[in-house]
Amino acid sequence: MPDTSSKAPAAVATPRPRRRRRRSADWEGLLYVLPAAALVIVFFMIPLGMTIWMSLHKWPLMGKPRWIGLDNYSRLLGDSDFWNALGFTVQYTLAATAGLLGVALILALMVERPARGVAFYRTAYFLPVVTGFASASLLWAWLSNVDSGLFSPLAQTIGLTSEPVNILATFGPAFWSVTIMVVWKMAGFHMVILMSGLQSIPADYIEAARIDGAKAHQRFRYITLPLVRRPFALALILCVSGSMLAFDQFYIILSGGPQNQTVTAVYHIFNESFVSFRLGYGAALSVVLLAILLVLSAIQLRLLRDRGETR
Amino acid sequence: MKTKILSGALILAATGLGGVAQADSFTLWVRSDGSEFMPKLVEAFNAKGEHEAQLQIVPVNELVQKYAIAAAGGSAPDALSLDLIYTPAFAAAGQLKDITDLVESLPYRDALSPAHMSVGTYDGRIYGLPFSADASVLLWNKDLYRAAGLDPEQGPTTWAEIREDAEAIAALGDDTYGFYFSGSCGGCNVFTFTPLIWASGGDIFADEGKTATLASPEVREAIDFYRGMVQAGIVPAGAQTDTGANFFAAFANGNIGISPSGSFAIGALNNQYPDLDYGVALLPGKEGGASSFAGGDNFVVSQDTENLEPIKAFLEFAYSVEGQTILANNGSLPVRADVAAEALEGLDARNLVSAEAMTVGRTPYSVVFNDLINSSNGPWATTLNRAFFAEDDAVVDEAVEEGQEEMQSIIDAAG
C-alpha cells in the first residue's frame, strides 16, 4: 500500500481539516454501501440466523417447533444417507468442474481474438447459459426419453445400438448424461470469465516470448496459464460452489434415480425438509453444507492466490 | 396476513357501503388432479351469484409444502380440497378447523362416502368431508384389441389374461406395447399396483399400518407378474424411469394395450382424446376377484377461517344433484351415495365400472405415507423399481428384503 505512506506526512502537516474530511468521507462511504449492506442483511444474514435457529429445534412443516439443542447435529453424524449424498455430490463436482473448465478454456481460446464470425460463435456458446436450469433439464429429460426422445432412437437409427437403450436407467450413462447437459449449459458462462482474463494479457508478452523462440505450448504453459490465474480462480470457485449445490437437474431428469444413486446433498436436504417435513433437521444439514462450502472456498482461494498477496 | 386483512376490509367496505345482501367470497385450493372438475364446479357455483369461490390450482407434488408455507405466513386459503391421505396428518398438526357442527347440519351426512369420512375424522371430531372420489381401474385400448384379434368388449379379469392379451397386442409391431406402468413412481404404484395385491388376498401393511408386509408371498407374486411382462419385452423401456410424468399420457398416446389407471382418466380421456376407443375394467386379483384404491379428496377448512357461510353454501352446492353430476361428468365419482345413481345417469358404462371400483376399494392408512410411499426416493418406490426391472431373482430378493426393513424402520421411528 504505497499511497498511505505518502499521505501520512500530509496528514501531520494539516491535521484538522484532513481528519474531518476523512470522517465525513467515512460516513459518506457507509451511506454508499448501505443499500448493498441492507440487501445482504435482509436476504442473507437474517435468513442465515433463522436457519441456525431452526436447526436447534425439532421443527415440523406444520405444528409447533420444539427446542432440542444440538440433537439434529448429533443425528446428522450418523445419517449415512446424507454422507452418501455428499459423497455423490463431490463426485459430481469433480466431473462437472473438470468438464466445465476444460471446455470453457478451449472455447475461450477459440473465440478470444477478434476474427471473422467470432461474435457469432461467442453468442452461440453463451446462448445455453440464458436458459433456466429447470427448462434445460426438462428439455434434456425429453431428449433422453427412451421411447419418445432423441438419443436412443437416434442411436438405433444410425446403428449404434440394436435395441432401445434407456440411458436414464443405469447409473453411469445417467450420471454422464446429466453432467454433459450441465457442461453444455454452463460452459459459455465460464468461457466469458476466462476470455476476459485472456484478453487482458498484454500482446507484448506473447510477442516477446515468440521472439525468444517459445513454442505455442510453451507460451500457453508459461505465459497464458499463470496470467489467467485470477479469472480462473473465480471460475473455479463459482463452478465448485455451484456444483456442490446441484439439485434441479437431478431432481427433474432423474428424480434421484436410478435407485437413489444420484441424490445430491441439496436434494437430501429438500427431501428431509419438504418430503419428510423435518424442517429443523433440514436446516441443520444446510448449516453443515454451508460450512463445508466455506472451507472449500477458503482452500481454493489459498491455493490460487498470487504470490504477491501472501505477504 | 396482509392480503387477508385487506380483502376482509374490502368486503366490509363493500357490504357497508352497498348494503347489498351477503356476497361473501372465500379462497379455495385444489391439487392439479382436480383440474378437470373443480373449475367447472366453481364456475357453476359462482354463476349462482350468491357467493364467490376463488379457485387456485396447485401442482399435486407441491400442495402440502405450499399450504404449510402459506399457513405459516398467515396466507393459507380458507378451504382446501386435500388428498384424503393427508387429512389425519393435517388435523394432528392443528391446521384444520373442526367442522363437526357443519357436518351435523347436513341432512344427508350418512350418505357421504364412509372411506373419506373415516380418514376425515381425528380424535372423534370431523375435519374433512368427502369431496371428490377417484378409484383405480384397468384401461384397455379397444382398437388395439381389434387389431390383435381379441374381443374388444371383454377386458381381462385375471393376471394370466392381462399377460396373454398384452402379448398379443405387443406382437402387432415395434411401436405397439402390451402393458404400461410408471415404474419409478411410488404414488402411481400404490394407486394401481397394491389393488392387484389386495385382490389376491395380500396387503403391504398389517396391524393398522404398524407393520410393513412387503416381504409377503402375495406381494412377491404381484412383483413377479410385472417383472415377467418387463422381461417378455411387452412393456416400453421408458416405464423404468417414468416418475409419473407419463402415468396418464402413455395410454392416451394410443399405442399401449393395457394400463392400470384411475377413474380420473375417464374424464380426461373423454375430454382431451375423444377419438380413443377404450374400455374400463376392475383391477383383478391373480385368479380373479377385484380391488381398487379408493382415493380422492377431502374438503377441509383452514384453522383461521372465520366466515363459514360461503363455504357451507359451496359444499351444499357440491353435494346437490347438480354438483354431483358435474363431478361425475368430469372425472370424479359422486361422493353422496343417495344421489349417485341420479348423478351418473346418462353416462357410459365405463363410469359405472369406476363407481363399482370405489365400492370394493380400500384406502391404506399411515401417518408416514409420504416418507414410505409417495417419495420418489422412499422405500416403496425404490424397492418396486429395483424388483420390477431386476435381471435375476437374487436382486428381487435383496430389493424386497431391504425395502421391508427400511419401511419398518420408518414406521417404527414415527412411533
Side-chain angles (χ1 to χ4, degrees), chain A residues 92-93 133 236-247 249 293:
Chain A
Y92 164 73
T93 301
F133 243 114
L236 182 69
I237 287 173
L238 286 176
C239 195
V240 168
S241 48
S243 306
M244 286 297 288
L245 296 175
F247 168 67
Q249 58 271 44
L293 274 178

Side-chain angles (χ1 to χ4, degrees), chain A residues 101-114 122 190-206 219-221 223-232:
Chain A
L101 294 185
V103 171
L105 188 61
I106 294 169
L107 292 181
L109 288 169
M110 275 160 58
V111 299
E112 168 214 2
R113 297 284 164 224
R122 281 179 193 168
H190 297 286
M191 170 195 83
V192 170
I193 298 179
L194 294 180
M195 196 176 76
S196 69
L198 289 174
Q199 286 172 338
S200 69
I201 300 174
D204 320 3
Y205 292 9
I206 309 274
R219 294 199 297 273
F220 177 71
R221 168 69 186 83
I223 296 181
T224 311
L225 269 190
L227 287 174
V228 292
R229 181 190 270 174
R230 275 160 174 274
F232 190 81

Side-chain angles (χ1 to χ4, degrees), chain B residues 19 33 82 130 157 165 210 246 265 288 298 313 350 370:
Chain B
D33 303 41
L82 177 71
T157 56
D165 294 358
K210 293 265 182 269
N246 265 332
N298 265 342
R350 297 180 289 210
N370 228 21

Side-chain angles (χ1 to χ4, degrees), chain A residues 61-64 81 145-148 164 166 168-169 251 254-260 263 267 270-271 274-278, chain B residues 61 64-65 67-69 86 89-90 93 95 177 180 236-241 243 246 370-371 375-378 382 385-386:
Chain A
L61 189 64
M62 289 179 292
K64 298 267 172 291
D81 285 345
N145 187 300
V146 57
D147 298 317
S148 56
N166 192 343
L168 303 181
Y251 180 67
L254 297 172
S255 287
Q259 269 90 49
N260 295 348
V263 174
Y267 197 156
F270 168 83
N271 270 348
F274 296 114
V275 175
S276 306
F277 307 146
R278 291 186 282 262
Chain B
N61 291 325
V64 177
Q65 296 90 311
Y67 180 85
I69 290 163
Y86 292 123
F90 271 56
Q95 297 293 322
Y177 296 92
Y180 191 81
Q240 185 171 5
T241 45
T243 54
N246 265 332
N370 228 21
D371 282 292
S375 163
S376 48
N377 310 110
T382 323
N385 184 266
R386 263 177 90 185

